[in-house]
Amino acid sequence: MATRCLGFATLMLIASILILGISAQSECGGDYSGINKECRSYISKFGPKIPPSEACCAALKGVDVSCYCKYVTPIVELIISMEKVIYVAQTCQVPNIPTDKCGSYEIPHSPPQKA
């Protein structure tokens, strides 16, 4: 019984992520499957924060990060680190990075520059 529940939960998680990707891609631009393939290891909840590859940055071309952030659900945040998403977007110099929130992640503000 526990195995069946775990299997069902996994299936629902995958379905949610696929639906998120299809819905968000049509509105927010970019190639969701390319992003998933090239950037997955850099935005995974598990593992260290490391600079993204050139292939990941290329996959992010044309993406509106602020728009994608609107589609982030608690289920997505179980496997994707929003902190790493913002880090990758900043490292790749993607435009339209939100300054306040992405999913439930509150983006820290840089301290003001001293004159």
Side-chain angles (χ1 to χ4, degrees), residues 59-110:
L60 292 171
K61 188 172 184 171
V63 167
D64 182 342
V65 178
S66 291
C67 182
Y68 271 98
C69 287
K70 294 186 301 188
Y71 286 94
V72 174
T73 66
I75 292 173
V76 170
E77 290 187 81
L78 290 175
I79 58 170
I80 295 174
S81 165
M82 294 302 109
E83 178 182 6
K84 289 180 184 177
V85 166
I86 298 302
Y87 169 74
V88 166
Q90 290 171 337
T91 302
C92 294
Q93 299 178 339
V94 176
N96 298 321
I97 299 171
T99 57
D100 54 350
K101 260 182 130 173
C102 188
S104 68
Y105 176 67
E106 293 193 25
I107 300 167
H109 295 281
S110 301

Side-chain angles (χ1 to χ4, degrees), residues 6-103:
L6 181 59
F8 180 72
T10 302
L11 179 64
M12 292 307 296
L13 177 63
I14 291 168
S16 296
I17 291 169
L18 289 174
I19 290 168
L20 165 73
I22 292 166
S23 299
Q25 182 176 342
S26 64
E27 182 182 337
C28 306
D31 172 16
Y32 181 77
S33 61
I35 294 167
N36 186 36
K37 178 183 174 196
E38 300 297 339
C39 301
R40 182 180 354 172
S41 62
Y42 304 105
I43 61 173
S44 172
K45 189 108 174 162
F46 310 101
K49 182 167 57 171
I50 55 175
S53 66
E54 287 182 28
C56 173
C57 290
L60 292 171
K61 188 172 184 171
V63 167
D64 182 342
V65 178
S66 291
C67 182
Y68 271 98
C69 287
K70 294 186 301 188
Y71 286 94
V72 174
T73 66
I75 292 173
V76 170
E77 290 187 81
L78 290 175
I79 58 170
I80 295 174
S81 165
M82 294 302 109
E83 178 182 6
K84 289 180 184 177
V85 166
I86 298 302
Y87 169 74
V88 166
Q90 290 171 337
T91 302
C92 294
Q93 299 178 339
V94 176
N96 298 321
I97 299 171
T99 57
D100 54 350
K101 260 182 130 173
C102 188

